């Protein structure tokens, strides 16, 4: 396969690892003495989820869900639907929703509302990347690794046509915005 059409590396693998370690330390402190359930959103967040989980010092459980979204990438309605639900309930648990990127905020808002309705003891959200310049709905972001400019990015879970998720770094791409 040809090389990815990288425009500029925003964060190297070393920078990402170092920042995840910092955020993991924050999270470990916040949840000290508790058990934490990490909820990942397929597919993009799994790279961040596993990297983060390995750095946490509190006991961790993991569950995954898959969603489909309509319109959120094009500034219209931002309708989100769960395609694969969690394997287990979250009632009474300390839940941390783990995302690779928050753009418009539609996905995060929907997931936070849905998870909140299931009675967790606490609920928070952690994202690898935050592109606040694209925000349409305001949501509280509890933990964030990096703010990024309004550019199309790939790597560390983020794709272009399902490619480049496995890059260890995060880079902007020389393509039309997805
Ligand atoms: C990304 C990300 C969030 C959503 C954020 O998923 O993982 O779920 O977009 O966008 P929003 O803030 O505008 O709602 P994507 O649709 O790219 O799916 P993927 O993780 O399978 O690549």
């Amino acid at each position: 396969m040809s090389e990815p059409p990288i425009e500029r590396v925003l964060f190297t693998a070393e920078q990402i690892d170092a920042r995840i370690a910092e955020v993991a330390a924050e999270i470990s402190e916040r949840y000290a003495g508790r058990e934490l359930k990490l909820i990942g959103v397929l597919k993009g967040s799994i790279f961040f989820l596993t990297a983060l989980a390995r750095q946490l010092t509190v006991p961790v459980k993991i569950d995954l869900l898959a969603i489909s979204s309509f319109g959120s990438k094009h500034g219209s309605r931002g309708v989100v639907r769960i395609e694969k639900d969690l394997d287990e309930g979250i009632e009474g648990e300390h839940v941390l929703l783990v995302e690779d990127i928050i753009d418009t905020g539609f996905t995060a808002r929907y997931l936070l509302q849905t998870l909140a309705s299931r009675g967790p003891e606490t609920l928070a959200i952690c994202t690898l990347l935050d592109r606040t310049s694209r925000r349409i709905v305001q949501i509280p972001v509890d933990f964030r690794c990096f703010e990024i400019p309004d550019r199309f990015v790939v790597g560390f879970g983020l794709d272009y046509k399902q490619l480049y998720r496995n890059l260890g770094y995060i880079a902007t791409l020389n393509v039309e915005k997805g």
Side-chain angles (χ1 to χ4, degrees), residues 125-145:
I125 183 167
C126 175
T127 189
L128 175 64
L129 303 179
D130 196 350
R131 196 154 45 192
T132 52
S133 54
R134 291 203 192 169
R135 199 73 96 245
I136 296 176
V137 293
Q138 297 308 314
I139 47 140
V141 178
D142 302 279
F143 304 97
R144 159 176 69 186
C145 291

Side-chain angles (χ1 to χ4, degrees), residues 6 19 28 32 35 45 50 65 92 98 132-133 146:
I6 294 306
R19 182 64 187 134
S28 296
E35 192 177 90
S45 79
T50 54
L65 49 76
V98 179
T132 52
S133 54
F146 301 106

Side-chain angles (χ1 to χ4, degrees), residues 78-164:
V79 175
V80 182
R81 194 175 62 203
I82 291 182
E83 298 288 351
K84 177 226 169 287
D85 210 330
L86 299 174
D87 289 337
E88 293 177 355
I90 55 170
E91 195 173 346
E93 296 192 278
H94 297 284
V95 172
L96 183 62
L97 179 63
V98 179
E99 267 290 19
D100 54 341
I101 188 164
I102 301 175
D103 273 334
T104 62
F106 281 122
T107 306
R109 181 178 66 176
Y110 171 80
L111 291 177
L112 288 170
Q113 283 174 350
T114 301
L115 295 174
S117 74
R118 299 179 185 187
E121 177 74 22
T122 63
L123 176 62
I125 183 167
C126 175
T127 189
L128 175 64
L129 303 179
D130 196 350
R131 196 154 45 192
T132 52
S133 54
R134 291 203 192 169
R135 199 73 96 245
I136 296 176
V137 293
Q138 297 308 314
I139 47 140
V141 178
D142 302 279
F143 304 97
R144 159 176 69 186
C145 291
F146 301 106
E147 165 88 41
I148 60 164
D150 190 9
R151 301 284 305 156
F152 193 87
V153 296
V154 295
F156 220 90
L158 291 117
D159 73 302
Y160 173 65
K161 296 183 177 174
Q162 299 301 327
L163 287 170
Y164 315 130

